[in-house]
């Protein structure tokens, strides 16, 4: 089996999704209308509410939701076989992720840029908002704490990525100022890409590293602290200063990376050595159903995307119809990254024979970011002739920058949640942006160092819960959209059917994990998992009650 067949299947599917399905949903179901004034204009404040060119906003949105997840999830899930992974990525992107992301962006924009948690109050009920926000906060806590560890590990293991990762921030600050002064976006795009790849080249020749021990902490722990200090500062700056241009550069960088990887497939046409369905799995491997659907989250459908769509992107939407370009095309971008990840870790670029592939993938979780960087760099070298060391640095920088932009947005979104709690319970002091940001960072660091000791890896302890919690959040977002559409008298099956499927798989996975954690005596995970499952049931009951009352009232009114 040649990898080009997988690529062509995926490309055709994504094109159908963009040109046909997304257009139908946007025009017929969501009925997007440019005569509607978006919150970015109505509530413009120059900090969070800023009307933004859709290309720049796509870059921000896409790189914020991407992180390392569309690489990590597919790279792990291939263990069950490349066929189920490919099918879930392609069909998940078209019918689940695209509708979910575009819908969350559209719904938030129609409700003054409210987050999905706040929006759930007006759509379903007051109690739902508090319940919803618990799940949102837990997901953000997991993402921020773990991505800090992911970046720190990358800096320690790949010191050639340090220089370009921090140089990208300097370039973003420059581009942000020039964009704000209406400089030509194409010229700025070229400047950003050239500057970034020059720094990648410089970084490959000039690795940078912290001392192995400093202030009584390891180099990884010090990187984690530095990263959260940066994220706190970045989250308080106006979005146009750093967040937008940094994400724009990363979006363009991703396009270049995808062109290199997909182009290498067409030129090299590597064979697939991974099994279509793995029959040589370890005895303790969990069932593909439901675990596949929570292992591949970003790249198929992800609740975190709804947080970003309604948290930051909706506040920057210039026109109502831009929601389709930013939301659906952002999901397509993630799907494309997930698809090429599957090719990179399944082909001869990672292992020359099926036996060698099974050595790399000896158990579930064995293949991850490392497999992607190895397979991807070999693929780029084979297709384009680029030296492997440079290709490895390029891909490592891509992973680091994705995770970094997710941290930037994640801490900002945590700040929003804390400020919303201040509004709900009328606690004035946490409504302050600086105080809310410090609280958000403190929670992440408390988890990182409180649960993980001096290594700062505490976030990894609750990370096993991310998959099911994240997908439960996706189903709750789809539920809010469905109730909203029902109340508006519009067809809701395009969000209800994905909601039921995702909820079933995520809830089933959550129950399996709950039993596993109970048997292990891991009471922290038992408590958190139980809270998430209970919240899910309560929100569903609230929504069902609202729908039943609405239908009864509609029937009585004829």
């Amino acid at each position: 089996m040649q990898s080009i067949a997988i690529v062509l299947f995926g490309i055709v599917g994504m094109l159908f999704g963009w040109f046909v399905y997304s257009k139908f949903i946007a025009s017929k179901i969501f009925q997007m209308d440019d005569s509607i004034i978006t919150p970015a204009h109505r509530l413009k404040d120059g900090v969070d509410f800023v009307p933004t060119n859709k290309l720049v906003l796509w870059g921000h949105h896409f790189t914020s939701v991407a992180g390392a997840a569309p690489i990590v999830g597919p790279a792990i899930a291939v263990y069950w076989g490349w066929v189920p992974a490919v099918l879930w990525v392609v069909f998940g992107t078209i019918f689940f992720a695209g509708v979910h992301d575009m819908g969350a962006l559209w719904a938030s924009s129609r409700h003054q840029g409210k987050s999905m948690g706040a929006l759930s109050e007006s759509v379903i009920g007051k109690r739902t908002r508090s319940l919803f926000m618990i799940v949102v906060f837990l997901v953000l806590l997991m993402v921020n704490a773990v991505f800090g560890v992911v970046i720190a590990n990358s800096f320690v293991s790949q010191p050639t990525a340090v220089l370009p990762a921090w140089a990208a921030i300097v370039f973003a600050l420059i581009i942000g100022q020039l964009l704000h002064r209406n400089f030509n976006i194409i010229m700025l795009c070229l400047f950003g890409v050239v500057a970034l790849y020059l720094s990648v080249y410089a970084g490959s020749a000039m690795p940078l590293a912290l001392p192995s021990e400093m202030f009584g902490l390891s180099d990884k722990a010090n990187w984690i602290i530095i990263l959260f200090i940066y994220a706190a500062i970045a989250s308080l700056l106006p979005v146009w200063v750093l967040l937008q241009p940094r994400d724009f550069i990363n979006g363009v960088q991703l396009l270049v990376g995808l062109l290199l990887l997909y182009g290498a497939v067409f030129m090299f046409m590597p064979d697939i050595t991974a099994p279509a369905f793995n029959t040589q799995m370890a005895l303790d491997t969990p069932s593909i159903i439901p675990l596949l659907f929570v292992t591949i989250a970003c790249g198929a459908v992800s609740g975190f995307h709804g947080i970003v769509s309604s948290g930051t992107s909706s506040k920057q939407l210039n026109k109502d119809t831009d929601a389709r370009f930013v939301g659906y095309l952002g999901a397509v971008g993630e799907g494309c990254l997930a698809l090429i990840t599957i090719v990179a870790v399944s082909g001869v670029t990672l292992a020359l024979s099926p036996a060698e592939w099974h050595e790399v993938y000896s158990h579930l979780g064995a293949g991850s970011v490392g497999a992607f960087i190895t397979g991807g760099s070999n693929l780029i070298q084979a297709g384009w002739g680029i030296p492997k060391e440079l290709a490895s640095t390029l891909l490592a920088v891509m992973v680091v920058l994705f995770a970094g932009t997710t941290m930037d947005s994640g801490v900002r979104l945590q700040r929003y949640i804390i400020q919303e709690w201040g509004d709900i319970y009328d606690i004035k002091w946490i409504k302050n942006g600086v105080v809310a940001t410090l609280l958000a960072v403190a929670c992440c660091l408390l988890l990182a160092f409180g649960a993980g000791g001096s290594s700062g890896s505490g976030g990894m302890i609750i990370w096993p819960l991310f998959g099911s919690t994240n997908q439960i959040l996706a189903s709750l977002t789809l539920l809010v959209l469905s109730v909203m559409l029902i109340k508006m008298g519009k067809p809701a099956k395009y969000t209800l059917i994905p909601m039921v499927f995702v909820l079933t798989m995520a809830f089933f996975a959550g129950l399996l994990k709950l039993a596993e954690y109970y048997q292990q005596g891991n009471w922290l995970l038992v408590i958190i998992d139980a809270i998430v499952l209970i919240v899910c049931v309560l929100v569903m009951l609230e929504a069902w009650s609202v729908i039943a009352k609405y239908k009864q009232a509609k029937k009585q009114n004829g």
Side-chain angles (χ1 to χ4, degrees):
M1 177 70 182
Q2 284 194 326
S3 55
I4 195 167
I6 297 174
V7 167
L8 289 174
F9 171 73
I11 289 175
V12 170
M14 305 289 183
L15 289 174
F16 165 79
W18 169 243
F19 287 107
V20 180
Y21 195 67
S22 72
K23 189 177 289 187
F24 166 74
I25 298 294
S27 61
K28 302 299 183 183
I29 308 303
F30 296 149
Q31 294 181 356
M32 294 179 182
D33 183 358
D34 283 342
S35 67
I36 294 172
I37 300 173
T38 64
H41 290 281
R42 192 184 308 115
L43 304 174
K44 184 177 179 180
D45 61 6
V47 179
D48 295 318
F49 291 87
V50 181
T52 305
N53 179 288
K54 67 180 181 181
L55 292 171
V56 176
L57 183 55
W58 176 86
H60 154 70
H61 176 81
F62 171 60
T63 53
S64 294
V65 300
I71 295 172
V72 174
I76 291 174
V78 163
Y79 182 73
W80 283 296
W82 63 262
V83 168
V86 168
L87 292 177
W88 175 228
V89 164
V90 175
F91 290 110
T93 297
I94 298 169
F95 300 108
F96 291 72
V99 176
H100 171 278
D101 297 11
M102 175 172 61
L105 186 51
W106 163 78
S108 176
S109 180
R110 292 290 181 93
H111 290 80
Q112 300 180 327
K114 289 182 180 179
S115 70
M116 290 309 299
L119 180 58
S120 66
E121 178 181 359
S122 56
V123 175
I124 300 177
K126 199 166 190 175
R127 283 175 296 188
T128 304
R129 178 182 184 181
S130 298
L131 294 169
F132 205 107
M133 288 170 66
I134 292 171
V135 182
V136 171
F137 189 81
L138 285 173
V139 168
L140 288 171
L141 186 63
M142 293 176 194
V143 168
N144 291 336
V146 171
F147 276 19
V149 176
V150 169
I151 300 170
N153 284 340
S154 297
F155 281 165
V156 172
S157 64
Q158 195 95 21
T160 55
V162 174
L163 175 63
W166 291 102
I169 297 171
V170 177
F171 303 149
L173 289 169
I174 296 170
I175 290 175
Q177 294 297 323
L178 296 177
L179 266 177
H180 197 59
R181 288 162 175 75
N182 297 318
F183 271 66
N184 184 281
I185 192 170
I186 296 176
M187 294 303 296
L188 290 177
C189 176
L190 290 173
F191 164 75
V193 172
V194 171
L196 179 63
Y197 283 109
L198 283 175
S199 71
V200 169
Y201 180 76
S204 65
M206 189 168 51
L208 300 176
L210 291 177
S212 57
E213 186 174 337
M214 190 169 62
F215 308 121
L217 295 172
S218 66
D219 48 358
K220 185 177 81 171
N222 279 303
W223 274 127
I224 290 171
I225 293 171
I226 291 169
L227 287 165
F228 273 108
I229 292 172
Y230 157 74
I233 295 170
S235 73
L236 288 168
L237 292 173
V239 290
W240 63 267
V241 173
L242 178 59
L243 192 67
Q244 283 181 353
R246 173 172 158 81
D247 292 352
F248 177 61
I249 292 173
N250 290 344
V252 175
Q253 179 230 183
L254 170 73
L255 289 178
V256 174
L258 288 177
L259 286 172
L260 288 174
L261 289 166
Y262 276 92
V265 170
F266 281 95
M267 287 187 285
F268 181 52
M269 296 188 183
D271 288 328
I272 296 297
T273 55
F277 298 92
N278 194 357
T279 57
Q280 300 180 40
M281 295 184 289
L283 293 176
D284 60 348
T285 303
S287 170
I288 187 172
I289 296 175
L291 271 300
L292 171 72
F293 302 100
V294 298
T295 302
I296 300 180
C298 300
V301 64
S302 167
F304 180 68
H305 295 194
I307 305 176
V308 176
S309 293
S310 63
T312 61
S313 300
S314 64
K315 296 174 177 62
Q316 302 168 57
L317 204 64
N318 186 42
K319 295 189 299 183
D320 196 51
T321 54
D322 285 352
R324 174 175 171 250
F325 185 91
V326 175
Y328 198 94
L329 205 56
V332 167
E334 279 226 321
C336 290
L337 179 56
L339 188 70
I340 200 64
T341 296
I342 293 170
V343 171
V345 302
S346 300
V348 295
T349 50
L350 179 67
L352 294 176
S353 68
E356 289 174 325
W357 185 89
H358 281 288
E359 287 180 13
V360 176
Y361 276 83
S362 58
H363 60 274
L364 184 66
S368 188
V369 173
F372 167 73
I373 292 175
T374 300
S377 59
N378 287 337
L379 179 61
I380 291 173
Q381 182 186 38
W384 296 93
I386 295 174
K388 184 180 176 181
E389 180 64 31
L390 182 58
S392 296
T393 301
L394 188 150
L395 293 179
V397 169
M398 188 167 80
V399 172
V400 167
L401 291 182
F402 281 172
T405 52
T406 301
M407 271 189 72
D408 292 356
S409 296
V411 171
R412 185 180 289 263
L413 290 164
Q414 265 190 303
R415 188 244 295 176
Y416 290 160
I417 294 295
I418 292 172
Q419 287 178 303
E420 283 186 20
W421 274 331
D423 289 331
I424 293 172
Y425 301 108
D426 196 26
I427 307 173
K428 293 182 179 179
W429 61 276
I430 67 171
K431 294 181 185 180
N432 180 276
V434 175
V435 173
T437 299
L438 291 175
L439 283 173
V441 171
C443 288
C444 294
L445 290 175
L446 185 63
L447 174 62
F449 289 94
S454 61
S455 70
S457 299
M460 292 299 183
I461 294 173
I462 65 170
W463 182 249
L465 271 174
F466 174 75
S468 56
T469 305
N470 184 51
Q471 297 307 72
I472 283 175
L473 180 57
S475 67
L476 296 181
T477 299
L478 288 166
L479 176 67
V480 171
L481 292 174
S482 300
V483 176
M484 184 175 167
L485 289 170
I486 289 170
K487 284 185 169 183
M488 296 171 71
K490 297 177 181 178
K493 62 183 178 181
Y494 303 99
T495 51
L496 268 176
I497 293 172
M499 183 273 291
V500 171
F501 181 84
V502 175
L503 174 64
T504 302
M505 294 301 163
F507 201 85
F508 185 18
L511 288 173
L512 290 177
K513 287 293 183 181
L514 185 65
E516 179 185 324
Y517 302 144
Y518 178 78
Q519 291 171 358
Q520 294 171 351
N522 194 331
W523 299 112
L524 174 64
L525 294 187
V526 167
I527 292 169
I528 296 175
D529 196 356
I531 289 173
V532 171
L533 293 176
I534 292 169
V535 166
C536 176
V537 171
L538 291 175
V539 171
M540 289 294 164
L541 291 174
E542 287 279 333
W544 179 256
S545 174
V546 169
I547 293 172
K549 288 177 182 177
Y550 169 79
K551 287 187 174 181
Q552 186 177 12
K554 187 177 179 182
K555 188 177 181 180
Q556 289 174 349
N557 294 330

